[in-house]
Amino acid sequence: MTMLRDIAAELIGMFLGDRGLALALLVVISAAALVSGVGEAGSVLAGALLALGCPLLLIENVIRAGRRSKPLHTRSAGVGSASETP
Amino acid sequence: MVEAVEAFTIVLAVATLYGWRPAALGAAAGFGLLAGSILLLGPMLALVPIAGLQLTIGILLLLFGMGWLRKASLRAAGPIPLHDENAVFATETDRIGAAARRDRRLSWIAGLAALKAIVLEGLEVVFIVLAISAGRGLLLPAGIGAAAACVLVLTVGAMLRRPLSRVPENALKFGVGVMLSAFGTFWIGEALGIAWPGADLVLFPLAALFLIAGLIAAALARRAAVEGAA
């Protein structure tokens, strides 16, 4: 039973790890779905909403999370520079 | 590959305390469960209408990919610590070791721990394989690719017999998050009837947008964290 509970928690965490971000993404997708049916202009607007809205949501969410926490280390920022080796 | 590295760390902790036999048996059982779920669910997805499938898989891919991208950005920025395989290995060794001290014969519990590690870490691999291959008849190549990555990691790990802490997990997760987010956005658009400019080729600019967003987010989050601490 514990394992099944862990699997369920893992599955939920996979898609709803940050519920605020997930909810915001679903709002953007819903908005894109709404406008996509309004002719050719609606389709273009829906594409722009998805292509620009999702990356902007990511930036906003990550900055907000950064504000809420303190830095754990003082190395220079960079994805590739992150070294897991001690 | 990232998930295989994380699962291997726990399997190694089990093998160190109980020997390779229960660890290998548990890991093999875990692989069997994951492969079985792919073989079961893959053909079933082919029966779902393509528009509904694209929308569902697209939304799940976007949620999953953005989740990885968010976490990788925060790890690169500092607020979330990097995944340290050596620390995970030490923690798991302590945890499993406590059970080992209580009863040396409980090797089946060790096997179960290895199985659980493989299943929990492998769920994400199963999802990616199913999502990428769904409705496109790509189940076999996607499954073989995932299996090859797992076999490579486990083989190298078994030869080295220590946690694979040098694998740049965060950079890999960042890259995969970018790709999955781009795929998810593309598929949602396809399901909504959006005529993407350049058709499939729009995946490249979409990926570029998510990559740039992730890098900007990491840089700004780091600055925000430093200012918040000051």
Side-chain angles (χ1 to χ4, degrees):
Chain A
M1 285 304 287
T2 311
M3 188 156 167
L4 288 177
R5 203 168 49 231
D6 288 346
I7 288 173
E10 180 78 13
L11 282 171
I12 292 169
M14 273 169 61
F15 304 110
L16 303 173
D18 184 277
R19 289 182 189 174
L21 178 63
L23 187 67
L25 285 171
L26 291 176
V27 169
V28 167
I29 293 166
S30 302
L34 277 176
V35 299
S36 66
V38 191
E40 200 173 321
S43 175
V44 173
L45 186 60
L49 258 175
L50 286 174
L52 300 175
C54 297
L56 287 174
L57 279 180
L58 174 74
I59 294 174
E60 188 277 332
N61 182 281
V62 171
I63 292 172
R64 196 152 39 83
R67 279 204 192 106
R68 282 200 304 261
S69 58
K70 293 176 181 176
L72 293 169
H73 39 77
T74 53
R75 62 178 167 69
S76 62
V79 175
S81 68
S83 169
E84 285 83 358
T85 49
Chain B
M1 185 176 272
V2 176
E3 299 308 312
V5 169
E6 292 176 5
F8 171 75
T9 301
I10 301 172
V11 173
L12 180 67
V14 170
T16 305
L17 291 165
Y18 286 95
W20 282 95
R21 187 178 145 81
L25 283 174
F31 275 123
L33 275 175
L34 294 175
S37 57
I38 289 177
L39 292 173
L40 183 73
L41 292 173
M44 280 169 66
L45 287 178
L47 304 174
V48 180
I50 189 70
L53 187 68
Q54 277 181 328
L55 186 61
T56 309
I57 296 285
I59 291 172
L60 291 177
L61 268 177
L62 186 62
L63 292 176
F64 181 63
M66 290 275 281
W68 268 30
L69 200 45
R70 173 185 181 276
K71 204 176 275 184
S73 297
L74 285 170
R75 281 188 172 141
I80 296 182
L82 289 166
H83 197 88
D84 185 343
E85 291 304 328
N86 290 318
V88 173
F89 178 72
T91 306
E92 288 298 321
T93 306
D94 285 347
R95 191 177 64 79
I96 301 166
R101 280 189 292 277
R102 282 196 296 272
D103 191 339
R104 293 291 304 174
R105 295 165 299 172
L106 291 179
S107 61
W108 65 273
I109 288 185
L112 206 61
L115 182 148
K116 191 171 158 183
I118 295 286
V119 169
L120 289 182
E121 298 297 343
L123 280 176
E124 293 175 338
V125 181
V126 168
F127 169 69
I128 293 172
V129 167
L130 289 174
I132 296 297
S133 62
R136 299 188 172 205
L138 296 173
L139 188 63
L140 193 63
I144 289 173
C150 291
V151 168
L152 175 70
V153 168
L154 293 180
T155 305
V156 172
M159 284 163 64
L160 293 175
R161 302 209 168 189
R162 61 185 170 84
L164 300 173
S165 55
R166 286 179 183 274
V167 174
E169 281 187 52
N170 204 48
L172 284 173
K173 272 203 166 178
F174 194 97
V176 175
V178 164
M179 287 191 285
L180 294 182
S181 301
F183 267 110
T185 306
F186 176 75
W187 280 29
I188 293 168
E190 288 275 290
L192 296 180
I194 294 170
W196 291 113
D200 287 7
L201 290 177
V202 79
L203 279 167
F204 291 104
L206 281 177
L209 279 171
F210 281 106
L211 175 69
I212 292 166
L215 292 172
I216 290 174
L220 293 179
R222 179 175 173 75
R223 190 186 298 172
V226 170
E227 285 170 0

